[in-house]
Structure formats: C-alpha cells, structure tokens
Amino acid sequence: PAAAATAAAATVAGDPTVVRLKWAAGALRPGATLQCEGRLPCRDQEHGEILGHLQTAIGQGGSMQVLYISGMPGTGKTASVMQAIKQLQNKKSMQKFAPVHINAMRLGTPQAAFGEMYRQLPGKKGSCAVHAAYGELTKYFNERRASDPVVLLVIDEIDHLITRNQAVLYKIFDWLSLPSARMVVASISNTMDLPERLLPRVASRFPIVRVDYAPYRRDQIVHILEQLLKAGTALEAFDPVALKLCAARVAAGSGDIRKALQLCRRAVEVRLSLSEATGPAGLPHLEVAERELLRESPAACAIGGLGFKARRLLTSLLLELRKQPDADSVLVRSVASRYGKLLTLSPAPRPVPPKDGEGWAAAGGASEDVCDGLDEEVPYLVRRLEAISLLVSFEHAVGFDVSVALGAGLDAEDLVGALADSEDDPVISKLIRESMQRCD
C-alpha cells in the first residue's frame, strides 16, 4: 500500500494539470500585478499623470502644488507612485532628488510622522525625538541650498494623519511655502474629497493636482488575471467562466485587484487539495474560496455577532454608498434617513421576556433600544461600530455635517456577505444582494 501511495503521488505530481495549477498559484501571488507586462496594467493614464507631475516638479527644484492621489484600496495608487519614482531615479538626465516615503497607517501617532521624516532625510543620521523633530525639520527646510537634492515626500495613507485641528498636516504643507524648501509633496489617500472636506486651508493656499483612481472594472480585472496566468504559462489552469465570475463579483464590490488575486489563488489551492479531482480550478473551488476568506475576515465575523439595529445601520450605509458609486463616505443624516425607512419596512423583533431569575442577556433578547429617537440612536450606533473599527466618522471642516465610511478592515464584498448571511428578513436580504449590482 505504501508503494502504491508513493506511485500515485508521483503520478499526480507529474500530471500536466497539477503542474499548471502550481504555476497558477505562483502567478497569482500577492503583488503579482507589478510584474504583469513589466508595468502596472490598466493604469497607463494615471501613471503618466503622476510621472509627468513629479518630473516637472523635481526639475524646477520643488513645487507648491500638492499631488493628491485618491481612490479605493487595491486600485494601484501606491504601486504607480513607486514605479514612477523608480523610473525617475533611473533617468540619467534627471536632477538629484531624495524620496522620503511615509506610510501613516504604520505610525503610532500622527505626530510620529515628523520623526520618521527626519530619519529618512538626506544628510541626517540617527533618529530625533518626536517633540524635537518638527523644529529640526523646519530648520532643515529653511536652510537648504540650490545645489541640495529635492526632497520628494510621499505620504501614503494620509488619512491617518488627521487630527482634530489638523495641526500635523498643516505643518507639513506649510513647509512648501518656504523659499528654500526644495520640496515636492505627493499624498495618497482612500478619500476622494479630503482636501475640501477637512483641509480647506490647504486647498485654498496650495494648488491641488488630482489623480483619481477608479475601482477596477470587471473587464480590467479579467485582463489582469489572464495576463498573469499567461505569463506563468498557466491560463488553462483556471476555468474562464469562474475567472469572469470572480472578476464580476470583485468589481461589483470594491474593485480591489488584491481581493481578486486572493480569491483566485485560494481557488487554485482548493483544487490542488482534491487529489481525486480533474480539470482546472472552477466554480465549485471559487465558491469554497469565497466562503473561507469571508470566515477569515475579523470584520465579517464581528458583523455576525452584532445586534439587529447595528446590522440595520450597516445595511443602511451600504445602500447609501451604492447610490453614489464614486463615493467612499456618506452623510450620517442620509444613513439615518435610510435607517428609519428600513426599520419601518422591517421592524426590530420584540425581545423574548426572561424566565424567572434570568436577565435579558441570558434570555438572548438584549434590547438595543437605548435611545429615545433616531437623532440619538443613530449617533450611538455609529459610535459603537466605530469603537470596533467597523466604521469611521469625521466632521466636515466647513459646516456641521458628519460623514461616515467603512473602517479600514472592512470592504464592500465582506460587508455584503456578512450581512446577507446574518439576515433573516427576505426583503432586506434581497436589498443587500441587489446592492452588489453596479453598472460596469
């Protein structure tokens, strides 16, 4: 039996389909899109705009224009910027410049950005205390010479530098107005209208050069996946119908190419784990991959444990976001209006009275009716969901409006899947699933 098993394993290992499946798994690894056709696919126009702006700004010794690159996660923003920087560094006729790249999401506090900048500056050695870094940086940009290399500051995930008074961001942008700064700023954000909404002083003083990244469309995702598989000599390892279905589902959600790569790679791994199966990775394997990845999402798991009203509020946000395909946030009052309509359409169930000696929680019917009306109830629910990182809210710099968006660990596909799985009302469930349908 042992010899037979060894022989069978050798046969499977030498099976051309299995070999191609292994090649496909390698071709669909994270970050693989950077190697597709030697460039970032389907982003030629955006890449050209970024490259052109940086080349001009560095060539003139700095610029007061702020390059603002925005779009949903997984749409190629950071990859395009880093690719453009690499091209400029390899260009012999390009004057010297020093890239300083800060990922604000990885900082402990917004103020830590100053210390990280100081650490990366040319001519600086070692670190600088957070409380002293801003003063040292201001002195540095005040005393630069015309022969010094231009500092190209790339602030990734700039949303994470937001504070109540925006002091950190204002201090950074104020350096641009110094005569000797020799500085170029490129900011990358998941928020389309951050300058107007939160930084009016920046938008009014410094010209904003925008490059907006739309979510990948279905045809673009199919093209990228096919090119990757072709490059890995593994196109036949994936059923084309399953590939297109995966692309359609991801495009209907966030348009995040990383999600498509993750799903397809996992589908290939599922197919490889089935020794008795034949043929390429197909629809059944894709369905298993989707279920597994949804279960692995901490945010999706948290949604399943939420109460009725918290889930209704998330459903309201989802439906409002779908009304505005290009928006990444909506006004809380719009969500509240939708929330009221959903409660009218499908009222909250009455809690089951507890037995003698039991509390409401023991009876499984803990009530969420903690507030007297929607004006108090919705902000309360938003705060609850924000506390567990499912939502993020922010006040507008002008006016008194508050907007809300999905938290960093939650994307639209996971939200739809988690809400649909935990929804008992067929009418609401239909609304949730229909929200995935978006015009290509």
Side-chain angles (χ1 to χ4, degrees):
T6 302
T11 302
V12 169
D15 185 335
T17 301
V18 172
V19 171
R20 289 190 186 279
L21 285 165
K22 290 181 178 179
W23 290 347
L28 297 169
R29 68 192 182 282
T33 50
L34 287 176
Q35 304 302 320
C36 183
E37 300 175 349
R39 58 182 172 78
L40 195 67
C42 304
R43 294 301 189 200
D44 291 341
Q45 180 179 340
E46 294 89 342
H47 176 76
E49 292 175 11
I50 292 170
L51 183 65
H53 173 81
L54 294 181
Q55 183 169 340
T56 301
I58 293 170
Q60 63 190 21
S63 174
M64 288 185 65
Q65 293 182 321
V66 177
L67 179 61
Y68 185 75
I69 304 157
S70 61
M72 297 290 284
T75 51
K77 304 184 297 296
T78 302
S80 291
V81 173
M82 303 315 292
Q83 195 174 45
I85 290 174
K86 186 175 181 180
Q87 284 182 255
L88 293 175
Q89 287 176 322
N90 292 334
K91 192 170 184 178
K92 293 182 179 180
S93 61
M94 195 71 195
Q95 72 164 281
K96 283 185 177 182
F97 69 97
V100 175
H101 182 201
I102 296 175
N103 188 320
M105 187 169 63
R106 298 176 182 172
L107 300 174
T109 64
Q111 290 74 18
F114 299 127
E116 181 61 22
M117 278 186 64
Y118 184 89
R119 188 184 67 80
Q120 295 186 42
L121 283 176
K124 298 295 181 182
K125 295 182 180 179
S127 58
C128 181
V130 172
H131 68 274
Y134 170 68
E136 291 294 322
L137 288 167
T138 301
K139 180 181 178 182
Y140 176 87
F141 287 115
N142 261 316
E143 298 177 350
R144 308 204 71 212
R145 297 168 299 180
S147 58
D148 289 336
V150 171
V151 172
L152 170 55
L153 174 61
V154 179
I155 309 175
D156 209 344
E157 305 282 358
I158 194 173
D159 316 61
H160 290 268
L161 295 186
I162 292 173
T163 59
R164 183 170 292 277
N165 60 5
Q166 313 305 349
V168 173
L169 288 172
Y170 284 140
K171 287 177 178 178
I172 291 174
F173 289 123
D174 280 346
W175 288 326
L176 292 173
S177 61
L178 298 176
S180 60
R182 293 184 62 77
M183 183 181 185
V184 177
V185 173
S187 57
I188 305 172
S189 171
N190 296 330
T191 307
M192 304 290 281
D193 58 347
L194 180 68
E196 294 80 8
R197 192 173 64 205
L198 298 176
L199 304 172
R201 199 171 92 193
V202 171
S204 62
R205 290 181 59 203
F206 303 101
I208 305 293
V209 178
R210 293 181 172 278
V211 180
D212 295 329
Y213 277 66
Y216 280 110
R217 303 189 309 269
R218 178 177 59 185
D219 59 310
Q220 291 176 325
I221 295 174
V222 170
H223 172 75
I224 292 170
L225 294 175
E226 287 181 344
Q227 292 301 313
L228 288 170
L229 291 170
K230 282 181 181 176
T233 323
L235 185 58
E236 296 81 2
F238 216 102
D239 177 21
V241 174
L243 200 71
K244 290 176 182 177
L245 179 61
C246 174
R249 288 178 176 173
V250 172
S254 61
D256 187 337
I257 190 62
R258 299 170 302 183
K259 188 72 173 283
L261 285 169
Q262 191 179 23
L263 280 171
C264 288
R265 181 182 171 90
R266 183 60 191 138
V268 169
E269 291 171 347
V270 170
R271 164 61 186 86
L272 279 169
S273 69
L274 303 174
S275 58
E276 301 298 323
T278 58
L283 290 174
H285 314 114
L286 181 64
E287 297 289 349
V288 172
E290 286 182 325
R291 289 195 297 271
E292 288 184 355
L293 293 176
L294 183 61
R295 283 198 300 269
E296 291 174 3
S297 167
C301 293
I303 290 171
L306 292 175
F308 176 88
K309 290 189 174 182
R311 286 187 282 111
R312 280 290 181 271
L313 188 81
L314 286 173
T315 302
S316 303
L317 172 60
L318 176 69
L319 297 178
E320 286 301 307
L321 284 171
R322 286 296 179 242
K323 284 173 58 180
Q324 309 170 53
D326 295 329
D328 50 20
S329 63
V330 293
L331 294 173
V332 169
R333 52 186 166 86
S334 299
V335 176
S337 175
R338 172 78 69 164
Y339 175 73
K341 293 175 183 177
L342 290 185
L343 288 185
T344 302
L345 182 64
S346 176
R350 290 183 175 276
V352 179
K355 299 176 183 178
D356 292 341
E358 286 187 342
W360 281 101
S367 173
E368 290 180 301
D369 291 329
V370 295
C371 303
D372 295 330
L374 293 184
D375 289 345
E376 295 182 10
E377 186 169 287
V378 169
Y380 167 77
L381 291 171
V382 168
R383 289 195 298 272
R384 272 188 61 192
L385 294 170
E386 195 168 15
I388 57 176
S389 302
L390 292 179
L391 295 183
V392 58
S393 66
F394 39 84
E395 297 178 4
H396 292 239
V398 179
F400 300 98
D401 277 328
V402 177
S403 288
V404 65
L406 297 179
L410 181 63
D411 63 26
E413 295 107 298
D414 288 347
L415 178 59
V416 169
L419 287 173
D421 287 347
S422 58
E423 184 54 62
D424 296 325
D425 188 304
V427 176
I428 304 298
S429 181
K430 183 180 179 183
L431 287 174
I432 292 169
R433 296 192 183 281
E434 286 178 349
S435 73
M436 287 297 288
Q437 298 174 4
R438 183 176 69 190
C439 295
D440 293 332

